[in-house]
Amino acid sequence: MKESNNDQVSDAPRPIEPSSPKVGPAASEQALLTLLEEYRKDRIWRRWFRLGVGVILIGTATAIVLLSGLEGEAVPETFTAVVEVSGVIGIDDDSSASALEAQFEKAFAAPGTEGVIALINSPGGSPVQSGQLHRALRRLRDRYAQIPLYAVITDIGASGGYYVAVAAERIFVDPASIVGSIGVVINGFGFVDSLEKLGVERRVLTAGEHKAMLDPFSPSRPQEQGYLQVMLDTIHQQFIRAVKAGRGDRLSEDPEVFSGRVWTGEHAISIGLADGFGSAREVARDVVGAPEIVDFSAQPNWKLKLLDQLELRVMSVLKASASGSDLRLY
């Protein structure tokens, strides 16, 4: 008797059901939203942190500036004031006669000034600016007769630099200083032959016979050279008178003194262009008798530079915070 198909037992293996529950779409979406929320909170925290760092930087810089402005360096009761005259004397803001005169005036007028030193390291420059500063120093000497003015030449005090130095009561040098060059010069180039070789014709229109004088592309004319020589001689005599007025009978009778030559500091003393050896510190200590030095020279405004750097740094912090990028210092 055959068994029915319904009662037949199959030997085929049955599929194994998974023991872990299935993750539905809703659960996956919830996990993703949780991760996004945590990332958003982290970005907000980083932004506030960077903003806080910026505020701290600004506050610290402001405190430094205010405290330095209120306290500053202690100024001694008596001191020697120093003003630097360095580089080419010209019409630039820092090297013009008016700018340097203002610095010297502050040095003379400051309470506690026992003496003023013009610390010179200049090859010269504009005869106008040099002459104006020379006269300004003479006026300050007359106004503050109780305060001596000395000149200290370091590496070089030549031409306009020496013009300024002779406004002082005494001039001090180093044995190796370069001193003198009492003269005037004007120079240029001539390209007339070069134009002829190139086949170039020079065309100049003027209103005034000598308006194009010194034109480097036109031939020089003896008459115009004579005019220029008279002008140079006149300025030279102005320079010589200033040197004689400042140095008096200390000057040597040697005509070479006014020839435009330069001398070492050691030789300059022997011909009366200088009085002795000494640095600014030595003159302050041994001549003025006030060894403490206060510098009245124009100084770079480091506070503004500091604030500018901090502003750039803070702006970079804020920009990084707004964009969500990392803060980097390069």
Side-chain angles (χ1 to χ4, degrees):
M1 181 176 174
K2 293 182 179 181
E3 297 180 356
S4 94
N5 292 335
N6 293 337
D7 297 334
Q8 186 177 0
V9 177
S10 174
D11 294 333
R14 296 180 179 179
I16 300 175
E17 296 181 358
S19 59
S20 59
K22 294 181 178 180
V23 179
S28 299
E29 183 179 352
Q30 183 61 37
L32 181 59
L33 290 175
T34 301
L35 290 174
L36 290 175
E37 180 66 20
E38 291 179 356
Y39 179 74
R40 186 182 66 83
K41 290 180 179 179
D42 181 64
R43 286 186 61 187
I44 293 175
W45 180 86
R46 283 189 298 166
R47 289 179 183 180
W48 280 106
F49 174 76
R50 290 165 179 164
L51 183 60
V53 171
V55 172
I56 292 173
L57 287 174
I58 294 175
T60 303
T62 303
I64 292 173
V65 172
L66 291 177
L67 288 175
S68 63
L70 291 174
E71 297 178 1
E73 296 183 359
V75 178
E77 293 184 2
T78 59
F79 55 85
T80 299
V82 172
V83 177
E84 292 185 15
V85 181
S86 60
V88 177
I89 301 171
I91 59 175
D92 292 338
D93 291 340
D94 294 336
S95 64
S96 66
S98 60
L100 291 169
E101 179 183 357
Q103 296 164 24
F104 276 104
E105 188 154 8
K106 289 180 181 178
F108 273 100
T113 299
E114 292 291 313
V116 177
I117 292 177
L119 188 59
I120 297 173
N121 186 18
S122 172
S126 164
V128 174
Q129 298 296 315
S130 302
Q132 288 180 355
L133 183 55
H134 171 90
R135 295 191 297 274
L137 293 179
R138 298 286 298 192
R139 288 194 299 269
L140 289 172
R141 279 185 57 185
D142 292 339
R143 188 190 311 172
Y144 299 93
Q146 75 282 6
I147 299 176
L149 171 65
Y150 301 115
V152 174
I153 295 175
T154 55
D155 292 273
I156 182 170
S159 194
Y162 188 74
Y163 202 153
V164 175
V166 295
E169 297 180 22
R170 296 166 67 185
I171 299 174
F172 296 90
V173 297
D174 185 87
S177 298
I178 302 300
V179 183
S181 188
I182 304 171
V184 188
V185 63
I186 187 170
N187 50 44
F189 297 94
F191 301 98
V192 178
D193 293 338
S194 299
L195 290 181
E196 290 180 356
K197 291 179 180 179
L198 294 173
V200 178
E201 179 186 1
R202 173 66 167 167
R203 297 174 180 175
V204 180
L205 298 177
T206 64
E209 182 182 356
H210 304 292
K211 185 63 178 178
M213 188 167 55
L214 290 183
D215 177 22
F217 300 103
S218 300
S220 61
R221 295 190 287 181
Q223 185 183 20
E224 293 179 345
Q225 289 182 341
Y227 293 155
L228 291 174
Q229 190 60 55
V230 170
M231 181 179 67
L232 292 176
D233 291 340
T234 301
I235 298 174
H236 190 202
Q237 289 301 316
Q238 296 168 359
F239 194 173
I240 292 173
R241 286 196 296 270
V243 173
K244 287 184 175 180
R247 302 301 297 164
D249 56 7
R250 289 172 287 186
L251 276 175
S252 169
E253 297 294 333
D254 188 347
E256 284 289 297
V257 170
F258 302 115
S259 67
R261 280 187 54 186
V262 294
W263 289 268
T264 64
E266 186 174 12
H267 198 173
I269 294 174
S270 67
I271 60 177
L273 293 178
D275 298 289
F277 300 132
S279 65
R281 192 163 295 280
E282 290 169 333
V283 172
R285 182 188 64 227
D286 302 331
V287 181
V288 179
E292 296 292 336
I293 290 178
V294 177
D295 192 354
F296 284 83
S297 308
Q299 302 294 334
N301 196 330
W302 63 269
K303 297 178 184 178
L304 291 179
K305 290 185 177 180
L306 175 62
L307 289 176
D308 288 342
Q309 291 297 323
L310 283 172
E311 181 183 2
L312 291 174
R313 190 64 63 194
V314 170
M315 290 301 294
S316 66
V317 172
L318 296 178
K319 183 178 180 181
S321 300
S323 62
S325 61
D326 293 332
L327 174 64
R328 298 179 184 271
L329 301 180
Y330 294 97

